[in-house]
Amino acid sequence: MGGPQPVPALRVRNLHKSYGSVEVLRGIQRDISQCSVVTLIGSSGSGKSTFLRCLNHLEQPTSGEIYIDGEPMGFRVDANGASRPDAAP
């Protein structure tokens, strides 16, 4: 019916972050459109800051994928479609 769907400004797929045995982020899935205003709310210790730190690449997620304007952040997709971490600069 309509044309192609626009690429989200931010796409998060199955994001996990653990510190030792404590899993702070548990499979976050989110698409955020261009020009959207988003608020994160939750109780203390619920993972808001950890989520933002992963988005800003201040923390390395344990697993999952983050895309900015359709481009992978912190990983590359190889010719076989598998995700590979970016090499350290």
Side-chain angles (χ1 to χ4, degrees):
M1 288 189 162
Q5 294 294 318
V7 174
L10 174 67
R11 172 168 278 170
V12 179
R13 289 289 170 258
N14 202 26
L15 191 69
H16 290 260
K17 176 64 179 174
S18 297
Y19 296 102
S21 63
V22 178
E23 189 175 31
V24 179
L25 303 179
R26 299 179 186 107
I28 294 176
Q29 307 268 5
R30 184 66 45 208
D31 283 350
I32 299 174
S33 302
Q34 297 283 343
C35 301
S36 293
V37 176
V38 177
T39 303
L40 295 176
I41 59 173
S43 59
S44 178
S46 63
K48 301 176 301 292
S49 293
T50 301
F51 179 56
L52 291 174
R53 289 178 62 82
C54 287
L55 295 181
N56 289 321
H57 216 58
L58 297 172
E59 291 282 348
Q60 181 69 36
T62 304
S63 64
E65 299 174 345
I66 301 169
Y67 298 86
I68 306 292
D69 290 327
E71 295 295 320
M73 189 184 90
F75 69 97
R76 298 280 178 231
V77 178
D78 68 18
N80 297 323
S83 297
R84 304 277 182 230
D86 274 343

